[in-house]
């Protein structure tokens, strides 16, 4: 199978059957983002759809040594049991996936579903395993996955629902999965606002990990726009007085973020981008409302009050309507390929060069999208130079 390029993309050259294969292990593997990523990878690899939204399929990444989409093998952890083919049908019914795509890539969805293992700790059960026992069990699932498929490597990407920040010092599920990834020798990406490697007990592990890892909380919509507009106001010497926002969303994210503690974790990244790009945090907050009827679609609205020359009071309002799963899935595939390549060339530790993808990038990354993109393309050149 080969990738069907659009006018602004670079084709992925098919590899011979003897070429290495790589694993992508998804935490929250039966959720909307994971299902869209698996179905989308299969569709693009088969030439059914162009790789729209995949930055790694654009010109700056030509010959950077990234694993081709045809080489990716999917698996993961989850605590729900809805099979991926059925989940894909639900997404197609809601307009997230194209009509007919679940049937066209059924074999790939079913193959990935067979590689999904039970996550944990399981609430409402007698799962009394210690944190270390859970980490060890998750790591064994990963090493078994790599061994059975004779993979050249695997990357772990957290795309599970947002969890509240821990308050008792214990390791939350996202941190258990992160520790398991590093214990199994796998690169790790936290695409959620959840704690992951940012737990104090994992600080030393994250700093000394012999594999690369990246970021926290994928930047897909409202914050993507903020990372462009914030620098614009600063560079034009316009004084932002207040910046308020509202998010209306449904689906699993809406239900998870109805928890005030989970919403606070999500909003922290949105507000941090403004503070970083403007130099200080303006007045205003972000509100998140769960609207189940919206399903996997969301509306994000921003109201920006600013002063112009001679104190003229002005307002900019923006409205973003979209599907988070369709925005996130190509970025998940990008990050998986970039981290796999980084691991192959011997890079380790946090990768601030990938801040382009995150609300909360690793230390050393700017929050301005333009500067982040420049750092990303420089990183692509560095990977190319490692051939």
């Amino acid at each position: 199978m080969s990738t069907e390029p659009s006018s602004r993309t670079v084709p992925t050259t098919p590899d011979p059957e003897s070429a290495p294969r790589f694993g992508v292990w998804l935490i929250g593997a039966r959720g909307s983002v994971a299902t869209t990523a698996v179905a989308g990878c299969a569709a693009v690899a088969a030439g059914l759809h162009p790789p729209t939204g995949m930055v790694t399929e654009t010109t700056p990444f030509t010959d950077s040594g990234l694993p081709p989409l045809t080489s990716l093998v999917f698996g993961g952890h989850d605590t729900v049991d809805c099979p991926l083919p059925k989940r894909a049908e639900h997404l197609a019914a809601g307009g997230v996936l194209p009509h007919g795509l679940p049937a066209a890539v059924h074999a790939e969805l079913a193959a990935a579903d067979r590689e999904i293992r039970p996550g944990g700790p399981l609430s409402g059960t007698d799962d009394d395993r210690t944190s270390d026992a859970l980490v060890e069990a998750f790591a064994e699932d990963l090493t078994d996955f790599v061994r059975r498929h004779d993979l050249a490597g695997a990357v772990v990407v957290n795309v599970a629902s947002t969890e509240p920040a821990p308050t008792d010092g214990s390791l939350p599920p996202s941190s258990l999965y992160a520790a398991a990834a590093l214990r199994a020798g796998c690169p790790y990406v936290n695409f959620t606002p959840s704690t992951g490697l940012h737990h104090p007990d994992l600080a030393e592990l994250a700093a000394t990990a012999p594999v690369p890892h990246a970021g926290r909380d994928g930047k897909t919509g409202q914050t993507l726009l903020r990372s462009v507009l914030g620098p614009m106001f600063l560079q034009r010497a316009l004084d932002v007085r207040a910046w308020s926002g509202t998010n209306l969303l449904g689906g699993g994210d809406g239900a998870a973020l109805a928890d005030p503690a989970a919403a606070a974790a999500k909003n922290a990244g949105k507000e941090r981008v403004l503070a970083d790009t403007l130099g200080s945090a303006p007045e205003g907050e972000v509100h998140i409302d769960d609207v189940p009827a919206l399903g996997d679609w969301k509306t994000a609205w921003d109201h920006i009050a600013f002063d112009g020359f001679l104190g003229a009071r002005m307002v900019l309002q923006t409205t973003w309507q979209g599907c988070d799963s369709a925005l996130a899935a190509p970025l998940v595939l990008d990050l998986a390929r970039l981290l796999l390549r980084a691991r192959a060339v011997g890079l380790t530790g946090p990768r601030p060069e990938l801040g382009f993808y995150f609300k909360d990038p690793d230390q050393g990354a700017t929050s301005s999208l333009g500067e982040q993109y420049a750092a990303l393309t420089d990183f692509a050149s560095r990977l190319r130079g490692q051939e």
Side-chain angles (χ1 to χ4, degrees):
M1 296 186 292
S2 62
T3 300
E4 177 80 19
S6 70
S7 59
R8 56 184 297 275
T9 62
V10 177
T12 301
T13 304
D15 280 90
E17 291 185 4
S18 60
R21 297 191 301 165
F22 300 86
V24 180
W25 191 265
L26 301 167
I27 309 303
R30 291 191 171 112
S32 296
V33 173
T35 306
T36 305
V38 174
C41 182
V44 173
L48 301 177
H49 289 271
T52 305
M54 287 192 65
V55 181
T56 53
E57 284 293 302
T58 59
T59 303
F61 297 85
T62 303
D63 300 327
S64 288
L66 305 184
L69 297 178
T70 51
S71 72
L72 302 182
V73 180
F74 292 90
H77 282 115
D78 210 323
T79 57
V80 300
D81 57 8
C82 178
L84 279 180
K86 180 60 67 176
R87 180 66 179 146
E89 291 174 7
H90 293 325
L91 292 175
V96 177
L97 296 180
H99 177 73
L101 183 62
V105 298
H106 182 276
E108 290 88 345
L109 289 166
D113 193 70
R114 289 192 293 270
E115 296 299 333
I116 297 176
R117 300 294 179 261
L122 303 175
S123 60
T125 71
D126 58 357
D127 189 350
D128 58 356
R129 289 175 290 176
T130 65
S131 291
D132 194 65
L134 286 164
V135 170
E136 185 61 28
F138 298 155
E140 287 179 1
D141 288 337
L142 276 164
T143 54
D144 179 63
F145 173 64
V146 170
R147 182 176 57 253
R148 285 186 294 103
H149 290 280
D150 193 24
L151 302 176
V155 59
V156 176
V157 185
N158 182 14
V159 289
S161 296
T162 301
E163 65 187 16
T167 58
D168 60 0
S170 62
L171 290 177
S174 65
S175 296
L176 299 176
Y177 292 122
L182 300 193
R183 184 174 295 188
C186 297
Y188 172 78
V189 177
N190 188 2
F191 203 76
T192 80
S194 301
T195 303
L197 284 176
H198 285 70
H199 195 282
D201 289 354
L202 300 182
E204 182 178 357
L205 178 64
T208 61
V211 293
H213 53 85
R216 181 163 66 170
D217 199 1
K219 185 166 55 187
T220 57
Q222 183 182 43
T223 311
L224 177 68
L225 193 56
R226 287 180 166 211
S227 68
V228 175
L229 293 178
M232 178 197 74
F233 284 107
L234 183 67
Q235 292 161 5
R236 285 294 303 269
L238 298 171
D239 183 23
V240 176
R241 294 183 292 107
W243 197 317
S244 301
T246 295
N247 282 259
L248 308 178
L249 69 162
D253 260 1
L257 295 172
D259 179 346
K266 183 75 171 179
N267 286 337
K270 294 176 179 291
E271 294 166 358
R272 186 182 301 107
V273 167
L274 293 183
D276 289 348
T277 56
L278 295 174
S280 62
E283 294 181 5
E285 297 178 346
V286 179
H287 298 277
I288 299 177
D289 295 325
D290 178 24
V291 185
L294 292 178
D296 286 280
W297 297 83
K298 67 179 286 186
T299 296
W301 172 75
D302 271 14
H303 182 281
I304 309 161
F306 65 99
D307 289 344
F309 191 51
L310 304 179
R313 293 285 175 99
M314 291 177 270
V315 168
L316 172 64
Q317 295 186 15
T318 67
T319 302
W320 181 293
Q321 294 178 308
C323 172
D324 252 6
S325 299
L327 290 165
L331 307 186
V332 168
L333 296 173
D334 278 351
L335 285 163
R337 301 171 79 195
L338 287 163
L339 266 291
L340 285 165
R341 175 59 176 162
R343 175 70 176 92
V345 300
L347 298 181
T348 63
R351 307 315 314 174
E353 306 96 331
L354 301 181
F356 176 80
Y357 292 99
F358 299 104
K359 297 183 183 74
D360 188 6
D362 294 306
Q363 188 172 5
T366 174
S367 290
S368 166
L369 190 71
E371 294 176 14
Q372 289 176 337
Y373 181 71
L376 178 63
T377 54
D378 286 346
F379 187 62
S381 297
R382 181 179 178 186
L383 296 179
R384 186 179 306 112
Q386 297 289 334
E387 290 286 4

